[in-house]
């Protein structure tokens, strides 16, 4: 019957194996990634692949391999390996996002930036800080609390979300009423270029124009091919004026809470 044929064809599709290029290339790709990062920071176990196949949204994908770089050179090596083997990849922070931005599609490589979590420098006089994308939101505010400064974007997951992830979703929070969302607190970026011409060989420092919408999706495939993977951020720090501002007083209480 027509219903029986439809069920049979549906079962055949569900049992279909991954695209051939992924089956053939994964062994060579994993060897290249382990050569760049070491065996302990390239994960292929079923538990890790399942864990990194989703974020805090209700979406899930398919992970080929998980990479855990700790610096800019290693991120570039991961990108070059993926480009060389023509395998898609996606960056991941803390995995707390609700928009599905860290969900890997088409057996992608997950490049986790969670280990890139340092505050590189702070200029308290000019209220600026260089940070890595895996730094937790609240950790930056705790780091600068002694200077009377804090990082204004304060989503409800600020104890566990990363600043790179905040930027990718243009996160907000209570303080965005006064300070705006994350894009208003980011002054510049260092990225590794992922276009076919750059192939992950070049890093570049970019300003962030305040009029651009970081939540807007790419409009065509050309923009998708010219994507950038975040390496470092220059962020603006707000003053904590506890006597005059109730929002800052609430932020201070959250920062001090252990």
């Amino acid at each position: 019957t027509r219903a029986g044929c439809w069920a049979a064809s549906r079962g055949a599709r569900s049992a279909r194996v991954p695209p051939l290029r992924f089956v053939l290339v994964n062994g060579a790709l994993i060897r290249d990634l382990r050569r760049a990062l070491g065996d302990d920071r390239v994960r292929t176990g079923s538990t890790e692949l399942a864990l990194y196949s989703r974020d805090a949204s209700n979406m899930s994908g398919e992970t080929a391999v998980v990479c855990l770089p700790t610096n800019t050179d290693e991120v570039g090596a991961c990108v070059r390996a993926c480009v060389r083997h023509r395998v898609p990849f996606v960056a991941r922070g803390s995995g707390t996002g609700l928009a599905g931005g860290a969900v890997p599609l088409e057996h992608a490589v997950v490049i986790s930036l969670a280990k890139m979590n340092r505050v590189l420098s702070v200029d308290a006089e000019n209220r600026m800080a260089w940070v890595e994308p895996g730094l937790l939101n609240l950790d930056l505010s705790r780091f600068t609390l002694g200077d009377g400064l804090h990082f204004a974007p304060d989503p409800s997951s600020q104890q566990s979300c990363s600043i790179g992830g905040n930027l990718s979703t243009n996160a907000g929070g209570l303080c965005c009423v006064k300070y705006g969302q994350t894009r208003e607190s980011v002054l510049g970026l260092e990225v590794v270029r992922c276009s076919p011409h750059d192939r992950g060989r070049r890093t570049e420092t970019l300003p962030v124009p305040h009029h651009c919408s970081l939540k807007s999706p790419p409009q065509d495939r050309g923009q998708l091919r010219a994507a950038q993977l975040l390496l470092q951020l220059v962020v603006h720090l707000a003053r904590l004026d506890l006597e005059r501002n109730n929002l800052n007083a609430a932020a201070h209480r959250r920062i001090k809470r252990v």
Side-chain angles (χ1 to χ4, degrees):
T1 65
R2 180 178 298 180
C5 293
W6 176 83
S9 63
R10 186 185 180 195
R13 285 198 300 272
S14 64
R16 199 173 290 167
V17 297
L20 184 61
R21 64 189 177 105
F22 295 110
V23 175
L24 292 177
V25 83
N26 273 349
L29 172 63
I30 291 170
R31 284 194 296 273
D32 284 353
L33 291 173
R34 285 178 171 162
R35 191 177 300 117
L37 304 183
D39 293 346
D40 60 327
R41 289 188 286 118
V42 178
R43 306 296 177 84
T44 58
S46 58
T47 301
E48 288 96 337
L49 297 185
L51 178 64
Y52 283 89
S53 68
R54 60 189 311 127
D55 55 12
S57 69
N58 61 357
M59 293 173 274
S60 62
E62 298 164 319
T63 308
V65 59
V66 179
C67 301
L68 302 167
T70 59
N71 57 54
T72 295
D73 292 338
E74 291 181 349
V75 173
C78 293
V79 171
R80 287 192 295 273
C82 292
V83 172
R84 184 163 56 250
H85 292 282
R86 300 183 62 81
V87 175
F89 61 89
V90 62
R92 179 186 175 98
S94 299
T96 61
L98 300 173
V103 173
L105 303 177
E106 298 182 351
H107 295 268
V109 171
V110 174
I111 301 178
S112 172
L113 303 177
K115 290 184 177 293
M116 297 177 63
N117 56 5
R118 296 177 298 161
V119 178
L120 301 175
S121 65
V122 174
D123 183 348
E125 182 177 354
N126 292 305
R127 292 187 287 154
M128 297 167 55
W130 270 101
V131 302
E132 292 182 324
L135 179 69
L136 298 186
N137 178 298
L138 195 58
D139 285 351
L140 176 57
S141 293
R142 285 173 173 158
F143 190 91
T144 58
L145 182 61
D147 296 312
L149 303 171
H150 72 120
F151 185 55
D154 59 338
S156 59
S157 59
Q158 68 177 155
Q159 296 185 19
S160 54
C161 65
S162 66
I163 292 179
N166 294 163
L167 178 60
S168 70
T169 58
N170 198 22
L174 180 64
C175 287
C176 73
V177 175
K178 178 177 181 180
Y179 298 105
Q181 294 173 285
T182 301
R183 66 179 182 180
E184 273 73 45
S185 294
V186 176
L187 305 176
L189 308 173
E190 184 179 342
V191 300
V192 57
R193 301 282 296 183
C194 309
S195 70
H197 300 294
D198 298 308
R199 295 181 179 272
R201 291 190 296 264
R202 181 160 63 100
T203 61
E204 184 175 349
T205 302
L206 305 172
V208 179
H210 283 189
H211 65 270
C212 75
S213 174
L214 295 171
K215 294 188 73 173
S216 298
Q219 298 299 313
D220 55 45
R221 290 183 178 272
Q223 287 176 286
L224 280 170
R225 287 195 296 267
Q228 293 139 3
L229 198 149
L230 185 59
L231 298 173
Q232 293 178 14
L233 306 87
V234 189
V235 297
H236 174 73
L237 301 170
R239 287 194 180 93
L240 275 171
D241 189 349
L242 304 181
E243 295 181 358
R244 298 178 57 186
N245 192 307
N246 289 333
L247 279 177
N248 278 340
H252 183 262
R253 286 194 295 271
R254 286 196 299 275
I255 294 167
K256 293 289 285 185
R257 188 184 306 142
V258 178

